[in-house]
Amino acid sequence: MKGSRILIVEDEPALLRGLTDTFTAKGCEVLSAADGERGLELALSAQPDLILLDIMLPKVNGYEICRAVREHSLDVPIIMLTARGQEEDIVLGLNLGADDYVTKPFKIRELVARVNAFLRRRHSARDAACRFGEFELNLAAHKLFRGGAEVELTAKEFQLLAYLAARPGRALARNDILNAVWGSSVFVTPRSIDRCVTTLRAKIEPDPHSPKYIQTIRDIGYRFEPE
Ligand code: CA
């Protein structure tokens, strides 16, 4: 985390100050913006390693910032700072390119841990995409191995797992998974994902009823945790 450049876009002065102090104390270089216009400018020009992004902002809102960052093909992790009980807003933000969210009021320690995980993975993204636990996902061969032995997956289970494993630690909305893995097929519903997740869990989870790798995020979707 030390030496990382973090952009914080938040219009609530006390929260912006608190976050700035916290991450500065961790040795980060903190860039801050109290409105969306300034935030967008810094997001596109300052090459941050991670962005903490409030959604309701003066001038330009957080959604527009997400969209603009991804339109510029920047892959910087974006963590949204959202209000409680706004699942639809969270899903919209994830659809527009945010990676994760924390709900206000959040525990600063939890946010720091989340930020740390994203920064760490950014350094080892390639490795993390192919290995988790005792598993190795061979993307070229479309095969999954556990300790060298092949685990039989259906084509959809493989595609789903590859999609999840390439996005470790991120909150993934059902719709985004559906579009990426099932495409525009007419006969799929969000329940198709749930069924595929269930069969996949049965093959990879030590305890499918208390999943370690493919975690459910209530009302939102799923999160893949490789560690
Ligand atoms: Ca706000």
Side-chain angles (χ1 to χ4, degrees), residues 10-12 54-57 104:
E10 170 61 65
D11 64 330
E12 197 183 307
D54 185 26
I55 296 299
M56 302 315 286
L57 289 162
K104 297 176 187 174

Side-chain angles (χ1 to χ4, degrees), residues 91 94-96 156 159-160 163 167 172-186 188-190 192-193:
V91 168
L94 296 174
N95 289 341
L96 291 173
K156 274 288 167 266
Q159 284 174 280
L160 175 62
Y163 180 83
R167 293 160 182 78
L172 300 168
R174 271 200 182 74
N175 269 350
D176 288 339
I177 301 175
L178 200 62
N179 291 336
V181 177
W182 278 264
S184 52
S185 170
V186 186
V188 296
T189 67
S192 307
I193 300 178

Side-chain angles (χ1 to χ4, degrees), residues 13-222:
L15 184 53
L16 180 59
R17 203 175 321 119
L19 290 171
T20 300
D21 289 350
T22 298
F23 286 100
T24 302
K26 299 269 174 207
C28 297
E29 178 191 350
V30 175
L31 306 171
S32 65
D35 68 66
E37 194 175 68
R38 177 71 180 142
L40 179 56
E41 191 183 302
L42 287 171
L44 297 181
S45 66
Q47 298 180 312
D49 295 306
L50 185 138
I51 302 174
L52 297 179
L53 182 64
D54 185 26
I55 296 299
M56 302 315 286
L57 289 162
K59 296 183 185 174
V60 176
N61 68 37
Y63 300 128
E64 292 171 67
I65 295 177
C66 276
R67 196 200 316 256
V69 164
R70 297 312 179 213
E71 272 173 8
H72 284 75
S73 301
L74 299 174
D75 68 348
V76 52
I78 299 175
I79 302 178
M80 295 182 285
L81 311 174
T82 64
R84 187 179 290 280
Q86 302 189 329
E87 280 75 21
E88 282 171 24
D89 298 352
I90 292 166
V91 168
L92 177 59
L94 296 174
N95 289 341
L96 291 173
D99 297 288
D100 206 353
Y101 65 94
V102 289
T103 305
K104 297 176 187 174
F106 48 82
K107 291 203 174 69
I108 193 75
R109 229 181 321 143
E110 280 173 24
L111 177 63
V112 168
R114 205 66 73 75
V115 167
N116 227 336
F118 272 105
L119 293 173
R120 213 173 46 233
R121 286 194 197 108
R122 215 165 141 71
H123 291 295
S124 60
R126 188 167 306 195
D127 234 33
C130 300
R131 289 171 192 283
F132 60 97
E134 61 200 80
F135 291 95
E136 187 182 337
L137 198 57
N138 188 322
L139 297 172
H142 275 236
K143 286 180 194 301
L144 175 70
F145 297 94
R146 171 193 267 147
E150 188 180 348
V151 179
E152 297 277 349
L153 297 181
T154 66
K156 274 288 167 266
E157 286 167 356
F158 182 87
Q159 284 174 280
L160 175 62
L161 183 58
Y163 180 83
L164 296 173
R167 293 160 182 78
R170 289 169 51 175
L172 300 168
R174 271 200 182 74
N175 269 350
D176 288 339
I177 301 175
L178 200 62
N179 291 336
V181 177
W182 278 264
S184 52
S185 170
V186 186
F187 299 105
V188 296
T189 67
R191 293 298 145 215
S192 307
I193 300 178
D194 298 338
R195 275 195 298 274
C196 193
V197 165
T198 301
T199 59
L200 191 51
R201 275 177 177 156
K203 295 178 180 182
I204 66 170
E205 295 285 357
D207 177 5
H209 297 293
S210 172
K212 165 179 159 187
Y213 299 120
I214 306 176
Q215 300 177 358
T216 299
I217 315 174
R218 184 191 282 268
D219 297 328
I220 308 277
Y222 293 98

